[in-house]
Amino acid sequence: MPISSSAAWVRELRTRKEWSMEKLKMELRDDFHLNISRIEQGLQQPKITTLQSIGETLSVTIDDFICPILENQPANVYTLRYQLSQALQTGDVELAQNLYDEITRLPGFNTPINRQYLLSQKAQLRYLKEEPFKSLITVIHEGITQTLHKYELTNLSNALLVYEEPILFHLMAKAYLREGDCANALLILKGMRDSFNKLPIDDIERDETLAPILLTLSVTLIREGEYTQAIGVCDEGLEISATRNQGAYTPAFLHNKAICLRCLGDDESARKTYRLAFFGYEMLHKRNKAQEVLDETHKHNLTFETYGVEKLEYVPITGYAYKCSEMIPCKNIPELIKNTRIHLGLTQEDVFQGICSKSTYSKIENNRTEPNHYLLEAIFQRLGLDINLYCRFYLGTKNFEIYRQRERMHQLLIKKRYAEAEEMLVELEKHDEYKEGCNLQFLLTAKATFYLNRNGFTPEYLRMLFDALAVTWPDYNEEEINTKRLTHYETTIINQIAGYYYSNGIYINAEKICIRLIDKFNTQSIDETEKMKLYATVIYNYSSCLNEMKQYDESMKLIRNGIKFDRERGRFLSLSQLIYLWAFNLFDADRQKESVPFFAIAYYGSYILDEYGKSSYVSIISDHVEEHFNIKFE
């Protein structure tokens, strides 16, 4: 997660020790001639080695960009950590316990940060097992004080919560809530929300942490009868859930909002919102929660048409096997890059080609340079690693703002707000960082998208895509797609090339590209979070090709795999697209009656996302169903 943290990070840790700026400067070695004030204001960006020394002086170690949640652990531990996180989120206690036990047997967990991590997992397991409040709070307090030695629940809004602290405080709030102590729960949750809302609104990690906090806050406000406040919190949560891949929370926010609307006497709005919550739960295969919605609506005479969705046969989802990489020893990011490359049997050229020079890459592997975050991002993608699982970037104010501009522009492109995105592109073009490499490729791809929006799938659009790809892959060869190591932007462009062929009826070409891309995802993605970025999109495109070629069985087999993959991971956004395609496949395969419930799920799932510019299928589905079934979705 890129953060402007020579400012916030140093200031927060210094304040925790109750040191003045002068005290910190005195405690540092004599050869550090630093202006601590300028660092804390984000006006001066120190070197990583300087940050290390500051961190060690403040009793926290940063090890060459290594994510501070775990210190000095090999790459496989991060995979286990992610797997344990997923098991805890899905409530799979047995799997979570086994993974926790496996991690506790590993060496190197005797530092405060690593001890806090273990205590956080232990507390989450105790919560799932519904162990007594006192024993749970004891573990939570012990975990928090590993890094935050003194804290006041009344002052959380002013704290910069780091490491496992947000998870532990959230767990503390849920423990109080379970005991019926809404006052303390609200104190914690409102403080955490205020604290996180001080971070950039386009910060992915912020959203991932804040969404469940907002969900618990909405539940607590409902218990206190604060329905209007709860609706505001639900809307805030829906904005995050629908614009990021935190979509698994979307139906729950809608459900809570419906309860509030009903309690405020707005029955018609409540009925409509209950309906969206029901179809959202069904899309995620959360049958028990969907039935809960139906029971509530029957009880309060707020029923709606379900189109037989509740009768569909589902296999319950209790968790999934996360693909684990082999143990890759490393102490820092250069070692992780080098050892992963060697483990994969790659040459240096396989990784750096088109990204940087051989000498630059060699210096990175040998820890003789501090690469910029754009360079590291692309290198990690070539290795099949999700950089956010391993690294934090400490950016100065200027570079941080440039990074945020790119992220804002990316979101505008996803939402198809092209006029705003074009204005931002003009600003990004002024910076040297966007005149070469992957950043230049990003801008050229965006320009191709703007052209497509105005002119459609013309040969000129295809030429623009090839020009963008040539920045990092000048000798592009379609036959090498599934064997060459690709960055995220390269994969995106190749997928868009397949889209061009599909839109011009050249289905064979599109199919060949999609097959190779899927093979690439399945063989090259060490971290599933890297695979998830485009996996569903490529499956959608490939299935569309098969459908056009009337290969319905093959198409539906592929869609089924995609739906299973995304349902298990709670990926609400891509699910609506895949179910939309599933419904049309059933219809085209002369299974029209079977298609109606899936059209209903796809329609309401798309309806939820349409408000946030995330779907364009609402009118397509409603027009089709009305024409062929004489059904008018509300």
Side-chain angles (χ1 to χ4, degrees), residues 8 26 29 39 64 79 107 131 160 196 203 211-212 214 301 310 314 330 354 363 371 373 456 502 558 630:
M26 287 175 58
R29 299 195 306 271
I39 291 174
D64 289 340
T79 303
E131 294 190 9
L160 172 65
F196 275 91
D203 188 320
L214 292 174
N301 296 317
E310 74 280 13
Y314 291 152
C330 63
K363 289 177 182 178
H373 60 286
Y502 171 79
L558 190 66
N630 198 28

Side-chain angles (χ1 to χ4, degrees), residues 60-125:
V60 177
T61 300
I62 299 179
D63 192 356
D64 289 340
F65 294 109
I66 277 287
C67 177
I69 294 174
L70 296 176
E71 293 182 316
N72 299 320
Q73 289 296 321
N76 193 54
V77 177
Y78 291 87
T79 303
L80 291 174
R81 181 187 69 184
Y82 183 81
Q83 186 180 8
L84 175 55
S85 172
Q86 298 304 304
L88 289 168
Q89 285 184 29
T90 58
D92 191 335
V93 176
E94 182 179 357
L95 175 60
Q97 185 67 62
N98 291 337
L99 290 165
Y100 172 76
D101 292 342
E102 184 176 350
I103 291 176
T104 57
R105 289 191 291 268
L106 298 173
F109 276 84
N110 55 351
T111 65
I113 291 170
N114 288 358
R115 283 199 303 271
Q116 184 182 73
Y117 170 75
L118 290 179
L119 289 164
S120 175
Q121 312 315 303
K122 183 178 181 180
Q124 291 177 73
L125 275 166

Side-chain angles (χ1 to χ4, degrees), residues 261-313:
L261 291 167
R262 188 195 77 226
C263 291
L264 290 171
D266 190 348
D267 285 356
E268 184 55 28
S269 294
R271 185 179 70 85
K272 291 178 179 178
T273 310
Y274 269 126
R275 180 175 59 206
L276 294 177
F278 167 79
F279 283 103
Y281 281 135
E282 285 287 349
M283 188 155 65
L284 291 171
H285 274 195
K286 295 188 176 182
R287 178 55 56 81
N288 290 340
K289 298 297 294 184
Q291 187 59 49
E292 187 180 320
V293 169
L294 292 182
D295 292 343
E296 287 180 27
T297 55
H298 281 291
K299 179 180 177 180
H300 298 284
N301 296 317
L302 297 172
T303 57
F304 50 82
E305 177 61 60
T306 63
Y307 307 100
V309 168
E310 74 280 13
K311 298 177 183 178
L312 294 173
E313 293 185 8

Side-chain angles (χ1 to χ4, degrees), residues 61 74 104 116 156 232 286-287 316 318 359 467 496 510 517 519 543 575 621:
T61 300
T104 57
Q116 184 182 73
L156 289 183
K286 295 188 176 182
R287 178 55 56 81
T318 57
S359 61
D467 285 348
Q496 289 172 321
L517 283 176
D519 183 49
S543 300
L575 270 173
I621 298 171

